[in-house]
Structure formats: structure tokens, C-alpha cells
Amino acid sequence: MKQRVLPEQTGIPCTILRGGTSKGVYFHEADLPPRGALRDRVLKRIMGTPDVVQIDGLGGSRLITSKIAIIKRSSRGDADVDFTFGQLEVEQDAIHWSGNCGNISAGVGPFAINAGLVEVVSPVTVVRIYNTNTDKVLIAHVPVRGGRAKVTGDFTIDGVPGTGAEIFMDYHLTLGARTGRMLPTENAVDTLELEGGDRIEVTLCDVGNPCAFFRASDVGLTGSELPDAINGNRPLLTRLEDIRRKSAERMGFSRGCSDRSAEATGGPLLVLVAPPAEYGNMRREQVLASDMDLRARLVFFNKCHESMAGTGSMCTAAASRIPGSLVNQALGAPPDGRDTLRIGHPLGIMRVRVKARDANTVGGVAFDELGFGRTARHIMEGTVYVPTSTFTDVAAVSAGKA
């Protein structure tokens, strides 16, 4: 672990990088403590968690800016780099390792290229990324110029100002990311019994990250709500957390959890879906019904995403092609012959590529292409400083001295 030392503080090399519509702090694995309580404590201190504004760290007070990536050269034959994703909560003293982030994943290829971890091939370098969280390989197609990841281009993403060079993220190998199956229950639609005896229909799907899909109307929403309307509705959030817990139990990775442990809150992502309709986005622009195939609002850690998570978009795209799923039912028109899905989210439209075909599999579909375009940009490289007591206090606790 490489460190610089100042009086009472220890420095760790890092890179701040925007990947898609998220921003995170990227590390070489060798620059951090080994996996465990000490590493978790150091990373929380770096980001300023827990604190509502993360004022004493690098986090930006939102879940989409409270993310970290840990990267090293891979020893696997099917991957170039290993990537571990960490999601830090803002107000809660917690870091979660149970899933992946598609937006932060989009920054892994450029990071690896610029750090010399992979051989650069012009004009596009293919970076095979092994995600340790989900035990799956995803593939980044990164444009390069002069031996470095290209930044400028004409590709746009709703939720990111300006344009950039398109990085295509291929997720077709990530089916069953956490449960081992695209449809963990083998059903296109399941019915959950919630607290108080209410029932709700859900589609439980696991591609990129496990997701639980349900109709916005079934929780009293239209599907056009913006994050503040969801985040400020405490009764709604209580109901959504009940849906998440029951979904996690049905998917088999959270049996009866009722606390806020990492596993209890680690998934699935919740996605409210509704048919196309015009709405005003967070930038006060009108999003037309004709520009989308469905509306979606993604909720994780009891907060509504400002746009659409990359892995959530992959799961949404896959579920849209499963006959009878709630996502398929929400489509404005049959997807026959179209290889894209246009998702209306709080900041606009996300377009993802999904090329599906009928297959004799659970769900009745297989995928020849499943991916999305992102942009990424290095923002800063330098040294982040952590109070040295962060290391020594954990050592004392581990030794039973504190």
C-alpha cells in the first residue's frame, strides 16, 4: 500500500472520474488496505460517510456521487482487469459490496488504459472487466487517441452536460449476476404479500444487477414523478422498503431480513414502470411520449435515482423482452424488430441496445446483444488524506485494545 504521510494524516493515491451519470473515486487495489473492516473504515472516511453533506470527504452528498471503484490487473484468462464496486451510503454508516454499478463500470476501461494496465489498441481498445461483486465479466469498448482514452466526441447522455466519446458497455454475459438465473423464481410475474395483507405483482429479474419491477400505479404513483416527490413521501418509502425486502426474500438472497445490514439493504433495485406519457424532467424540459418506450423510476437505498442506473437499464432492457413481464406489459408498442429500448427517467431518455431472440429457456428469450453507450472523463488525479487515527483505531479494536 503506497502512502504519503503528513502530520496526523496519511495520503492515498486516487482518481476522481465521472462514469456515465455517476461520479466516483477510483483506486489501484495495491494502494488500499486488504479487504475487510479496516478498508471499509478508510473508504468511509475518504468519502465523508456518514454525513448528510459528506462535508469532510470526497462524496458529493448524493448516492450517485458516493461511489468507489477498486481496480487491479487481472490474473484471469477471460479478463484484463478486476473491478470491485463499493456503494457508500450518505447518512448511514455503511458501505455495500453486494452489487455492481453500470455507470461507474463505464469509467473502469478508461482508468485501466490511462494507468497502463491494458495494452492499447487503436482506434478502440476492448477492455474485459471482471466484476468481483457479481462474479461476471463485462466488456468495455473504449475509443482511444494517442495511447490514452478518448474524451471528446459527439455522443450525448441525458443527465450529463455536453458531449463525449462513446464507450459501449457490453453486458450480455451478466445474466444471473447475483442469483445465477435471469428469472430467479422462473416466473415472469410473481405476487408478493406485503405487511398488512396487501398484495402486489412484481417481475423479479437478475441481469447486471437484480431488480424488482412493479407498476407505478400499484403504489399510487403515475410514473412521471421526480425524485423529490418520491424521496419526501415517507409512507411510500416504507411501502417500497417492504416490497424490496419481500422481493429479496423471494429471490433467495435475503431471508427475512429486517435490519439495515449491508445484506438487508443490498438489493434488489426497485424499478417503478409505466407506459409512455409526456412529463417534465428535472431540468424543466418536456419529455415527449413519442421519444420513449416506457417510463421508469429506479429506487435504491430508499432514494430515487436522478436518472437510470446502468445495470438497472440492462435489467430493464432484458425484462422488456420477456413475454408477459410487467416491463413488457408497460411498453408503448410491441418491440418486434427493434434493437433499442428507450427509457424515460427523471432527467430524460436513456437508450440501450437489446437484441433478443426466442429461445427454449426460462423466460423464453436469449440475447445476442445487451449494452449501452456511456461517456467518461478523468476529473482529478492526486492524493486523498485520511486521519492516521483511522488506521490505528481499527488496529486497536482488532487487537481487543479499544
Side-chain angles (χ1 to χ4, degrees):
M1 187 172 69
K2 302 174 183 177
Q3 298 176 336
R4 285 187 62 189
V5 179
L6 290 177
E8 301 183 300
Q9 295 205 88
T10 298
I12 299 173
C14 71
T15 298
I16 296 177
L17 199 152
R18 177 188 60 77
T21 56
S22 292
K23 185 167 61 177
V25 185
Y26 290 63
F27 301 92
H28 290 278
E29 185 178 275
D31 292 333
L32 291 172
R35 179 176 182 175
L38 175 57
R39 188 177 75 175
D40 287 3
R41 183 182 173 101
V42 168
L43 291 171
K44 285 186 286 186
R45 195 67 177 85
I46 287 172
M47 300 303 286
T49 290
D51 174 47
V52 65
V53 293
Q54 294 180 316
I55 193 65
D56 205 32
L58 296 179
S61 79
R62 295 175 178 267
L63 288 171
I64 60 171
T65 58
S66 189
K67 301 169 183 275
I68 62 99
I70 302 172
I71 300 164
K72 70 171 184 178
R73 184 177 280 112
S74 184
S75 60
R76 295 170 58 100
D78 61 348
D80 301 303
V81 293
D82 293 348
F83 155 55
T84 300
F85 168 69
Q87 174 69 64
L88 291 94
E89 293 204 39
V90 176
E91 301 174 52
Q92 302 294 326
D93 185 12
I95 180 170
H96 303 280
W97 304 101
S98 57
N100 189 15
C101 172
N103 284 299
I104 293 298
S105 298
V108 173
F111 178 91
I113 290 169
N114 293 345
L117 297 179
V118 297
E119 180 182 354
V120 178
V121 177
S122 296
V124 174
T125 296
V126 175
V127 183
R128 301 170 302 165
I129 302 165
Y130 171 64
N131 177 241
T132 67
N133 309 76
T134 59
D135 192 30
K136 296 293 182 181
V137 174
L138 43 143
I139 303 170
H141 300 258
V142 185
V144 295
R145 175 184 291 164
R148 306 278 284 184
K150 192 172 182 288
V151 175
T152 58
D154 58 7
F155 189 71
T156 62
I157 303 173
D158 282 352
V160 178
T163 63
E166 181 181 8
I167 300 166
F168 181 70
M169 301 296 299
D170 182 354
Y171 270 76
H172 81 278
L173 298 176
T174 67
L175 275 64
R178 186 167 174 188
T179 65
R181 293 175 293 179
M182 180 172 68
L183 289 177
T185 67
E186 300 189 356
N187 301 319
V189 178
D190 287 281
T191 302
L192 304 179
E193 183 171 338
L194 305 178
E195 299 298 327
D198 290 345
R199 293 174 177 270
I200 190 169
E201 288 189 325
V202 296
T203 290
L204 304 176
C205 189
D206 184 8
V207 178
N209 255 336
C211 293
F213 299 94
F214 50 96
R215 301 179 188 93
S217 59
D218 286 348
V219 293
L221 300 179
T222 66
S224 291
E225 288 78 8
L226 300 181
D228 284 350
I230 294 175
N231 297 339
N233 188 333
R234 300 311 303 178
L236 172 64
L237 293 178
T238 298
R239 183 175 177 83
L240 295 184
E241 178 61 9
D242 189 19
I243 294 171
R244 187 201 63 76
R245 285 180 175 148
K246 296 300 193 304
S247 297
E249 185 173 354
R250 188 68 64 89
M251 296 175 93
F253 55 77
S254 183
R255 299 291 183 186
C257 286
S258 60
D259 57 26
R260 284 190 57 82
S261 68
E263 285 306 308
T265 57
L269 305 177
L270 300 178
V271 186
L272 301 76
V273 296
E278 183 174 344
Y279 63 90
N281 68 16
M282 292 176 65
R283 291 194 171 122
R284 300 181 180 179
E285 302 163 337
Q286 288 303 111
V287 184
L288 302 180
S290 58
D291 290 337
M292 71 187 78
D293 296 306
L294 79 165
R295 289 170 289 163
R297 301 294 184 264
L298 184 144
V299 176
F300 66 130
F301 302 120
N302 263 344
K303 291 185 182 295
C304 180
H305 200 292
E306 286 86 349
S307 55
M308 168 57 66
T311 52
S313 75
M314 291 297 89
C315 202
T316 304
S320 75
R321 277 22 182 191
I322 297 174
S325 77
L326 297 183
V327 185
N328 182 266
Q329 293 179 33
L331 295 178
D336 300 340
R338 290 189 289 111
D339 295 340
T340 61
L341 178 71
R342 302 168 301 167
I343 304 170
H345 58 71
L347 277 170
I349 302 293
M350 182 174 182
R351 294 168 178 80
V352 298
R353 301 183 207 173
V354 51
K355 191 172 185 178
R357 54 184 165 81
D358 295 338
N360 186 24
T361 61
V362 174
V365 65
F367 299 95
D368 296 321
E369 188 173 290
L370 189 62
F372 57 92
R374 298 279 87 180
T375 62
R377 187 175 75 86
H378 272 65
I379 295 173
M380 186 280 296
E381 289 186 359
T383 302
V384 60
Y385 286 92
V386 177
T388 302
S389 60
T390 306
F391 298 87
T392 57
D393 288 352
V394 169
V397 169
S398 298
K401 299 177 182 178

